[in-house]
């Protein structure tokens, strides 16, 4: 048996066939065409012959190449079949990076954003800079008795949300996004004094928000350089209020999107584009070293169209120096996130076939353990996190969609634990879109807007047959709905007015709704502050609620004209409550500076300007 026959027999035993173009005769013909005199070898007695082993070796190489090519085709076919099989469940899972790359090659990267953002992070930046030269008052932790105090207004009990201002009842902590600083103010006896202020490297880092937990602050944000973009959770030790120290930093690929804190863990959500050269996202491990996220911890929406990851990192805040972490990634992006103590839901838009859908993935949370449980989709787009709510294993989702003739219509879907739709109520408020949603028990309250502000009541007591039971209209529209007692809602939003160019927003509006009768909701009262704006119009975190003293407060910015006819803004707060079916204004306070947030400690309210780094205390007379 010659060389070629032997090698061929071995490959035939593996059921692999070389392409016809690579058989021995074709190879020999090509070699002879390219053979020159110098390719001849002189043998004994001056005989010449073309080296037959050359042909055998060439044939061997050709067969090997053909074998690998065939094997790659078989492997690709197997991978595609695996993807197709998994797609039936709505989610694609990967067992290795080859499968991940094969899937990622289907998508066209955004050349402006994808290049380099998933590469090795390189050397960590030095976050700390020198402190300000201000002579701060020295305070020691534990010297001041903790008083009753406010918390960040949040969607779900037991799930904290990051913000730019926090308090523990003794101190107020202020994060300034403009210069990446964290300031500490002592707050006692109705006074506020700055204890310290720590500045951090602001060249590439962007501080977004923070959490407060005991003697630690967890700053969340992202940092960007020419080649890298990464989100982070930075741990600050604040046991000594004058010496804020960085003790740990967790990082993962992408720009900061949002986060939650629950059960001793910070859940960091970031998004990033990728390309086929750098298609694996990174994170830091327990020892602070960078690593690729394992392929088995990466999945994809089966409808994934754009080359974007949403990355979920879990950081255990109770595990000491070597923190326990876990990181997951899903291809498809994230427009909205809803989180409770048991589950994390991530939603992304799906524009396939000219119809907008919201694709949803459900994660089970157990400390740093994050497990994908189900995927599903609903027609339309969601407004924000408040469009979601989970109760008794059912996920309720309010959306705005377009019908066949392009008109906006609104729907509310009910999904089971596997994210399969079991019921819906739809088609209400044609040519209007959702501006606010609030779930209370088995009821959903939805505000839509176009030219009026209807409040819809939707009964969800039967998940398979939700019913719109009533509605009421009012001018303007609310962007946040706050329950007041058992049967009332306070709407906080925008006042509107007719102008020669049509309806326009002008001012802050408070609206009080009676929801005691789900079939017949009523507008009880309303208050309008023209030429005003409030941070509470755009974020629920700017709402201050004191349930003990039964009042609400929001930051305000009054726009006025001075003697030279120049407009200027003056910050402050409006404090109000419900009394006998009316909105009662308890107080209106001007602080002279912009006001971003309000907190209370005991009987004192503190108006905080993060940008100007001022804290102004006042009491209710």
């Amino acid at each position: 048996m010659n060389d070629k026959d032997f090698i061929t027999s071995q490959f035939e035993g593996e059921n692999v066939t070389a392409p016809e173009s690579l058989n021995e005769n074709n190879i020999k013909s090509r070699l002879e065409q390219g053979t020159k005199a110098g390719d001849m070898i002189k043998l004994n007695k001056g005989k010449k012959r073309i080296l037959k082993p050359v042909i055998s070796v060439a044939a061997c190489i050709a067969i090997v190449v053909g074998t690998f090519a065939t094997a790659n085709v078989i492997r690709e076919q197997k991978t595609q079949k695996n993807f197709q099989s998994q797609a039936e469940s709505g989610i694609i899972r990967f067992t290795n990076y080859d499968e991940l790359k094969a899937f990622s090659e289907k998508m066209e990267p955004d050349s402006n954003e994808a290049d380099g953002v998933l590469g090795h992070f390189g050397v960590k930046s030095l976050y700390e800079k020198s402190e300000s030269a201000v002579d701060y008052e020295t305070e020691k932790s534990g010297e001041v008795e903790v008083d009753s105090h406010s918390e960040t207004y949040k969607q779900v009990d037991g799930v904290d949300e990051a913000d730019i201002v926090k308090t523990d009842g003794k101190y107020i902590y202020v994060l300034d996004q403009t210069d990446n600083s964290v300031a500490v103010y002592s707050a006692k006896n109705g006074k506020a004094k700055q204890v310290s202020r720590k500045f951090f490297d602001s060249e590439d880092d962007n501080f977004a928000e923070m959490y407060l937990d005991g003697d630690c602050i967890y700053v969340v944000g992202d940092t960007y350089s020419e080649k890298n973009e990464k989100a982070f959770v930075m741990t600050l030790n604040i046991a000594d209020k004058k010496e804020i120290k960085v003790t740990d930093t967790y990082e993962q690929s992408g720009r900061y999107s949002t986060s939650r804190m629950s059960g001793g863990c910070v859940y960091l959500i970031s998004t990033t584009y990728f390309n086929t050269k750098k298609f694996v996202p990174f994170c830091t491990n327990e020892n602070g070293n960078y690593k690729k996220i394992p392929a088995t911890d990466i999945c994809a929406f089966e409808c994934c169209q754009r080359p974007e990851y949403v990355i979920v990192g879990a950081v255990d805040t109770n595990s000491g120096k070597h923190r326990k972490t876990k990181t997951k990634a899903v291809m498809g992006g994230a427009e909205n996130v809803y989180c409770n103590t048991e589950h994390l839901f991530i939603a992304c838009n799906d524009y396939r076939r000219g119809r907008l859908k919201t694709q949803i993935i459900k994660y089970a949370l157990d400390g740093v353990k994050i497990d994908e449980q189900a995927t599903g989709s609903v027609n339309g787009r969601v407004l924000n996190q408040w469009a979601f709510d989970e109760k008794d294993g059912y996920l309720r989702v309010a959306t705005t969609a377009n019908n066949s003739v392009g008109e906006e219509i609104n729907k509310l879907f009910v999904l089971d634990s596997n994210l399969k739709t079991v019921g819906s109520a739809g088609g209400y408020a044609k040519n209007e879109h959702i501006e606010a949603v609030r779930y209370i028990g088995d009821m959903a309250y939805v505000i839509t807007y176009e030219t009026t502000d209807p409040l819809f009541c939707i009964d969800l007591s039967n998940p398979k047959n939700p019913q719109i039971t009533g509605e009421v209209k009012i001018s303007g529209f609310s962007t946040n709905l706050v329950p007041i007692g058992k049967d009332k809602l306070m709407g906080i939003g925008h006042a509107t007015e007719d102008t020669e160019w049509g309806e326009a927003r002008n001012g802050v509006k408070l609206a009080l709704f009676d929801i005691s009768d789900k079939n017949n909701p009523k507008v009880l009262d309303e208050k309008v502050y023209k030429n005003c704006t409030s941070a509470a119009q755009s974020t629920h975190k700017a709402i201050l609620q004191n349930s003990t003293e039964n009042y609400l407060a929001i930051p305000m910015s009054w726009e006025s004209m001075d003697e030279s006819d120049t407009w200027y803004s003056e910050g402050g707060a409006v404090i109000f409550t419900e009394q006998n079916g009316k909105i009662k204004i308890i107080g209106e306070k001007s602080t002279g500076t912009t006001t971003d947030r309000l907190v209370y400690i005991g009987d004192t309210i503190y108006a905080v300007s993060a940008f100007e780094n001022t804290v102004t205390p006042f009491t209710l007379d």
Side-chain angles (χ1 to χ4, degrees):
M1 180 182 291
N2 60 30
D3 296 337
K4 184 262 178 185
D5 292 336
F6 172 78
I7 295 171
T8 301
S9 68
Q10 298 302 307
F11 282 112
E12 287 175 347
E14 298 296 328
N15 295 319
V16 177
T17 304
E20 181 64 25
S21 61
L22 297 179
N23 65 34
E24 181 180 10
N25 291 332
N26 286 332
I27 294 294
K28 181 176 180 180
S29 174
R30 293 183 183 183
L31 286 173
E32 288 176 343
Q33 291 175 8
T35 301
K36 299 180 180 180
D39 293 327
M40 301 295 192
I41 294 181
K42 293 184 178 180
L43 303 178
N44 291 335
K45 299 181 181 180
K47 293 182 179 180
K48 297 180 180 179
R49 66 180 177 89
I50 297 176
L51 269 179
K52 189 172 182 180
V54 172
I55 299 176
S56 298
V57 171
C60 175
I61 294 172
I63 291 172
V64 171
V65 172
T67 299
F68 284 127
T70 304
N72 285 334
V73 170
I74 294 172
R75 182 162 55 254
E76 183 176 350
Q77 291 174 345
K78 183 178 180 181
T79 298
Q80 295 302 324
K81 185 176 180 181
N82 183 40
F83 288 164
Q84 187 174 5
S85 175
Q86 291 189 64
E88 296 176 1
S89 67
I91 189 169
I92 305 295
R93 290 181 171 83
F94 306 100
T95 59
N96 55 59
Y97 292 132
D98 288 338
E99 291 181 354
L100 181 61
K101 185 176 183 181
F103 190 87
S104 69
E105 287 174 345
K106 295 180 178 182
M107 290 167 282
E108 289 294 329
D110 186 325
S111 60
N112 292 326
E113 298 196 53
D115 188 30
V117 299
L118 295 180
H120 287 284
F121 292 148
V123 180
K124 288 188 178 182
S125 60
L126 297 177
Y127 289 105
E128 295 185 64
K129 292 180 69 176
S130 60
E131 293 188 20
S132 169
V134 177
D135 184 16
Y136 298 116
E137 176 186 343
T138 301
E139 292 282 353
K140 295 295 183 180
S141 178
E143 289 184 350
V144 182
E145 183 179 350
V146 177
D147 210 335
S148 61
H149 61 89
S150 58
E151 296 180 348
T152 299
Y153 192 85
K154 50 187 179 287
Q155 182 179 13
V156 178
D157 289 339
V159 180
D160 198 8
E161 299 187 33
D163 200 11
I164 56 176
V165 176
K166 295 284 186 176
T167 183
D168 57 10
K170 295 183 293 184
Y171 299 92
I172 298 171
Y173 307 87
V174 182
L175 184 148
D176 188 344
Q177 299 166 327
T178 62
D179 62 10
N180 290 346
S181 69
V182 174
V184 181
Y185 289 82
S186 65
K188 59 182 179 179
N189 301 325
K191 297 181 180 180
K193 293 184 179 180
Q194 192 174 83
V195 175
S196 63
R197 186 178 181 187
K198 172 71 78 174
F199 292 87
F200 298 80
D201 183 4
S202 58
E203 183 176 352
D204 298 324
D205 301 327
N206 301 295
F207 283 21
E209 304 171 298
M210 64 181 174
Y211 294 95
L212 175 64
D213 185 18
D215 285 334
C216 288
I217 284 177
Y218 301 97
V219 177
V220 290
D222 51 38
T223 183
Y224 178 80
S225 63
E226 185 176 348
K227 293 185 177 181
N228 301 314
E229 187 177 42
K230 53 198 176 185
F232 59 76
V233 178
M234 183 192 300
T235 304
L236 308 181
N237 186 292
I238 55 170
D240 184 342
K241 306 306 178 189
K242 192 175 180 179
E243 295 291 336
I244 301 175
K245 298 179 180 179
V246 179
T247 59
D248 183 68
T249 302
Y250 163 83
E251 296 171 321
Q252 65 188 35
S253 295
R255 62 189 179 278
Y256 175 70
S257 178
T258 188
S259 61
R260 298 291 190 274
M261 186 175 184
S262 178
C265 283
V266 172
Y267 299 99
L268 177 69
I269 295 117
S270 60
T271 57
T272 186
Y273 287 94
F274 63 87
N275 58 33
T276 53
K277 292 182 180 180
K278 297 176 180 179
F279 59 91
V280 183
F282 285 75
C283 64
T284 50
N285 60 19
E286 291 83 350
N287 298 318
N289 299 318
Y290 295 114
K291 68 173 184 178
K292 292 181 179 180
I293 297 176
T296 52
D297 286 330
I298 300 174
C299 64
F301 286 114
E302 86 47 49
C303 67
C304 183
Q305 293 178 307
R306 62 180 186 262
E308 188 176 12
Y309 279 113
V310 55
I311 302 163
V312 183
V315 180
D316 187 345
T317 61
N318 298 320
S319 54
K321 183 178 181 180
H322 297 288
R323 297 201 181 280
K324 296 178 182 178
T325 62
K326 185 67 176 179
T327 310
K328 296 272 189 171
V330 57
M331 289 183 183
E335 275 71 41
N336 288 285
V337 172
Y338 164 70
C339 182
N340 55 40
T341 56
E342 296 180 346
H343 299 116
L344 173 71
F345 296 88
I346 293 175
C348 76
N349 291 334
D350 172 15
Y351 291 97
R352 288 181 302 170
R353 295 181 289 275
R355 297 294 296 272
L356 175 60
K357 290 189 174 184
T358 296
Q359 194 84 2
I360 305 167
I361 186 168
K362 174 184 178 181
Y363 289 96
L365 302 179
D366 183 10
V368 295
K369 186 179 180 181
I370 314 171
D371 290 327
E372 306 94 344
Q373 283 198 330
T375 63
S377 66
V378 293
N379 289 327
R381 67 183 185 276
V382 296
L383 173 69
N384 53 31
Q385 67 189 64
W386 294 88
F388 299 90
D389 180 74
E390 187 181 29
K391 183 177 185 292
D392 300 330
Y394 291 99
L395 180 68
R396 297 89 73 90
V397 187
T399 72
T400 298
N402 292 96
N403 61 19
S404 58
V405 294
E407 298 171 317
E408 284 189 318
I409 56 174
N410 300 281
K411 295 187 175 183
L412 194 147
F413 297 90
V414 181
L415 287 64
D416 64 16
S417 59
N418 295 316
L419 296 188
K420 305 301 181 185
T421 299
V422 296
S424 66
Y428 61 94
K430 187 178 293 185
N431 282 326
E432 298 187 1
H433 55 271
I434 293 174
E435 286 286 356
V437 184
R438 187 72 191 228
Y439 297 90
I440 304 175
D442 287 326
M443 294 296 297
Y445 301 95
V446 180
I447 294 284
T448 61
Y449 173 70
E450 183 61 30
T451 57
T452 58
D453 177 13
L455 170 72
F456 290 90
C457 302
I458 305 176
D459 187 348
L460 302 169
S461 57
N462 182 352
K464 297 182 180 180
N465 188 29
Q467 296 288 322
I468 300 173
T469 59
E471 66 174 283
V472 63
K473 294 184 178 181
I474 189 173
S475 63
F477 62 95
S478 302
T479 51
N480 281 296
L481 294 172
V482 182
I484 302 293
K486 295 181 179 181
D487 55 11
K488 295 181 180 65
L489 276 179
M490 186 72 73
I492 302 170
H494 296 267
T496 58
E497 63 182 12
D498 293 327
T499 69
E500 58 182 307
W501 300 281
E503 190 172 70
R505 302 177 185 182
N506 182 10
V508 176
K509 181 166 187 174
L510 307 177
L512 181 63
F513 298 95
D514 181 351
I515 54 173
S516 58
D517 183 352
K518 65 181 181 182
N519 299 306
N520 188 29
K522 299 176 181 178
V523 178
L524 296 177
D525 197 12
E526 56 185 294
K527 296 288 185 183
V528 173
Y529 288 86
K530 287 192 174 183
N531 300 322
C532 292
T533 59
S534 172
Q537 293 173 303
S538 58
T539 176
H540 59 278
K541 299 175 185 179
I543 299 172
L544 173 65
Q545 184 173 32
N546 188 327
S547 299
T548 303
E549 299 297 327
N550 192 32
Y551 68 75
L552 294 169
I554 59 174
M556 291 286 279
S557 178
W558 287 274
E559 296 181 359
S560 303
M561 187 177 292
D562 61 19
E563 295 177 355
S564 61
D565 294 336
T566 300
W567 285 95
Y568 69 96
S569 294
E570 184 176 3
V574 171
I575 304 92
F576 53 97
T577 188
E578 179 273 332
Q579 190 175 82
N580 299 323
K582 298 292 183 179
I583 300 173
K584 179 181 179 181
I585 304 300
I586 300 175
E588 297 173 355
K589 176 66 177 180
S590 175
T591 61
T593 63
T594 59
T595 303
D596 300 304
R597 297 291 188 270
L598 301 168
V599 299
Y600 75 80
I601 299 175
D603 295 329
T604 305
I605 297 175
Y606 298 84
V608 182
S609 171
F611 176 72
E612 298 182 37
N613 224 287
T614 60
V615 176
T616 304
F618 62 91
T619 57
L620 299 175
D621 297 328

